[in-house]
Amino acid sequence: MRIVLTHELDQAAELVATEILRQLDKKPKLVLGLATGSTPVGIYRKLAEAHQRGKADFSRVHTFNLDEYLDLPAGHERGYRYFMDEHLFQHINIPRENIHFPPSEGSDLERRCVEFEERILEVGGIDIQVLGIGSNGHIGFNEPMSSLCSRTRIKTLTDKTLTDNSRFYAEGEHQPELAVTMGIGTILDARKIVLQAFGAKKSEAIRATVEGPVSSSCPGSALQLHPATTLYLDPDSASQLRERKYYERAQQLQSKLRQEGRL
Ligand code: PGA
């Protein structure tokens, strides 16, 4: 697990977007796993800007979103399809048919979850998975006590997640309690994972993710089992890490190797 401690608000988004664009340059058929929420918005803005400057071609890219609320009608403004259109898809040249979401309406959901996983494999597997983290340690909507081997399925949202996300809903507005999410096992199959966290509200989840035992009580801690995960943290989200000084030193030494062209 590589820890990158960032200092300016925009720095993490810049670093992640640059990494995605570098990979896209090498592999035009890049397969991206995407997240919603406030955390990844800066990355999407930078990808859209790169496209508008003629620097990024998404015409052969496939995307797979992590999760979606169950039974929000397509086009609903609280839905994650709507979010992704607003923040990314309508600003880049990705074909509609290359955009994939877990099934979140209709019937036969278990079979269609399996098909969603099969589709990921058919296009070669996810190259880079973008993640945020919940204040309870969830990744995607894998709430605490999710199986560390779980695959795409329906999850019941915890009270904590419902409270955290209630800011997006007007008083009295229906807030979905069920969602369909890639599993932790699905996420761990990605070749690279990039996770951003901002704000003191995430500091306990980040501490447990990085320094806690691997445990389903903090789903983020499963990332310790992944060979190529990088965490981009602002000072507040990193504030409870006991080994912060070590991560800073590691970051400096690694960036020296990079500057020397040795990595
Ligand atoms: P946020 O949500 O980016 O809105 O903080 C992250 C998450 O719940 O995974």
Side-chain angles (χ1 to χ4, degrees), residues 35-41 66-67 80 131-136 138-141 161 164-165 167-168 196 198 201-202:
T36 49
S38 33
T39 308
V41 168
L66 277 170
D67 45 19
Y80 288 164
L131 289 182
I133 189 162
S135 62
N136 64 355
H138 73 203
I139 48 175
F141 271 138
T161 296
D164 283 352
N165 288 355
R167 68 189 192 278
F168 298 115
Q196 297 181 111
F198 307 129
K201 208 174 94 180
K202 304 290 173 74

Side-chain angles (χ1 to χ4, degrees), residues 211-238:
E211 295 176 346
V214 175
S215 160
S216 64
S217 62
C218 175
S221 68
L223 299 174
Q224 293 176 29
L225 301 170
H226 189 267
T229 290
T230 305
L231 268 61
Y232 297 85
L233 309 175
D234 73 347
D236 286 339
S237 69

Side-chain angles (χ1 to χ4, degrees), residues 30 42 58-60 69 86 93-94 105 123-124 171-172 175 182-183 185 192-193 228 230 235 237-238:
L30 197 68
F58 291 87
S59 62
R60 298 169 75 193
Y69 291 113
E86 285 288 293
N93 64 333
I94 186 167
E105 285 183 277
V123 297
E171 212 177 310
Q175 185 181 354
M182 279 187 202
K192 272 179 188 262
I193 297 177
T230 305
S237 69

